[in-house]
Amino acid sequence: MRKPMIAGNWKMHKTPAEALEFVNELKETIGRFEQVSRVVIPPYVALAGISPALRGSGIKVGAQDVHHAESGAYTGSVSAPMLKGMVDYVIIGHSETREYLGVTDELVNKKTKISLANGLKPIVAIGEKLDQNEAGRTEEVCRTQLETALQNITPEQMENIVIAYEPVWAIGTGKTATPEQAQSIIGGVIRPLIINLYGHDIAGDTIILYGGSMKPDNCAALMRQADIDGGLIGGASLKVDDFTSLVRIAAETKHLA
Ligand code: 13P
């Protein structure tokens, strides 16, 4: 049985003080929902403040990216050893890092490996752009991104990886994939690919999230799909009420509440 997950990617929002205030409120509202993995993913500068504040709360912390090298002359970058002990998860391959920071499929693979080597759990994000979707290339794009991301990843390592399917055209646009569309890629392409690579047991335990304009009013329909285990949420994760609703809905739709 896969534990549902609600992960809030705050992107470039909230100062360290705002982040701390937010998680202190969140501890009150979602602290008791142990049936759901709850993850907040703030900007790097907020991590040192909120990480100790959340210790023991059951709410986990993630980083939004990580460099592919251990250390070196990489101005502006943050390495996996720096994040070790401070976060549990790290998003790798988010479409915004692919688009604005030049993150390629090969770099996604390197970042995944260095994260695992440092005890961080990668949330590997994949998804097609609008023109690729319209050209009927969704399956091919997702397959290539995922296969490259997982190159030389062992079965033991795969147990610590979360996958997020985020169609780029749905991110921040208010245009959510329909539950059937999301299920057809997550259940029809992504999980079968993991079955092929790692077998039924590991694929059956792999958490696969949907991301792209997920909100309290569309969350239940998405979460009712057999292969959608949760959400990677941008905009709606910035409000305590919405974050709390998403966690509650995740528990309810998976019959855990
Ligand atoms: P939105 O929920 O704002 O569409 O963002 C999704 C996302 O990119 C999460 O990583």
Side-chain angles (χ1 to χ4, degrees):
M1 174 85 195
R2 298 184 294 271
K3 188 169 175 174
M5 175 181 283
I6 294 292
N9 171 15
W10 293 353
K11 309 192 177 183
M12 200 169 71
H13 295 285
K14 297 192 192 295
T15 64
E18 288 165 350
L20 189 59
E21 192 184 326
F22 188 95
V23 297
N24 280 332
E25 281 184 55
L26 213 53
K27 274 200 282 193
E28 300 297 318
T29 63
I30 62 168
R32 67 195 168 84
F33 282 95
E34 282 156 22
Q35 323 87 306
V36 178
S37 296
R38 297 137 293 165
V39 188
V40 288
I41 311 175
Y44 289 129
V45 290
L47 291 174
I50 70 164
S51 186
L54 286 175
R55 209 155 284 147
S57 71
I59 302 171
K60 305 289 187 194
V61 182
Q64 296 178 11
D65 193 12
V66 65
H67 198 272
H68 63 273
E70 286 267 340
S71 64
Y74 298 106
T75 302
S77 299
V78 171
S79 72
M82 294 173 192
L83 294 171
K84 191 175 182 171
M86 193 148 52
V87 305
D88 302 281
Y89 293 94
V90 56
I91 300 176
I92 296 174
H94 191 283
S95 62
E96 286 148 18
T97 69
R98 293 177 189 260
E99 178 79 16
Y100 307 126
L101 301 176
V103 173
T104 60
D105 290 346
E106 287 70 28
L107 284 177
V108 170
N109 178 245
K110 286 187 181 168
K111 286 168 185 261
T112 302
K113 285 183 189 150
I114 203 156
S115 297
L116 291 163
N118 284 278
L120 311 175
K121 294 180 179 166
I123 300 175
V124 174
I126 62 168
E128 83 287 1
K129 296 181 187 175
L130 181 61
D131 60 328
Q132 295 167 328
N133 180 282
E134 287 176 347
R137 295 183 51 216
T138 299
E139 178 169 344
E140 166 213 328
V141 169
C142 291
R143 201 174 271 286
T144 303
Q145 288 182 349
L146 190 57
E147 271 173 355
T148 314
L150 298 179
Q151 227 145 53
N152 299 316
I153 298 293
T154 66
E156 294 70 35
Q157 289 175 318
M158 189 63 209
E159 289 171 9
N160 288 312
I161 294 179
V162 173
I163 307 295
Y165 169 55
E166 299 204 302
V168 180
W169 49 269
I171 296 178
T173 57
K175 262 196 268 169
T176 321
T178 65
E180 294 73 25
Q181 272 174 321
Q183 168 65 23
S184 76
I185 298 302
I186 292 176
V189 177
I190 298 175
R191 206 176 299 280
L193 180 58
I194 302 173
I195 292 174
N196 252 342
L197 296 171
Y198 297 99
H200 277 93
D201 286 356
I202 289 178
D205 286 344
T206 301
I207 305 292
I208 310 181
L209 310 177
Y210 166 78
S213 299
M214 197 192 240
K215 299 190 167 47
D217 65 3
N218 58 30
C219 174
L222 287 157
M223 293 283 303
R224 262 188 230 113
Q225 301 297 317
D227 287 284
I228 301 182
D229 303 317
L232 181 57
I233 294 125
S237 75
L238 297 169
K239 298 181 203 118
V240 172
D241 285 356
D242 284 351
F243 203 130
T244 304
S245 299
L246 289 162
V247 170
R248 185 177 38 76
I249 293 164
E252 284 169 5
T253 46
K254 296 296 181 188
H255 308 293
L256 300 167

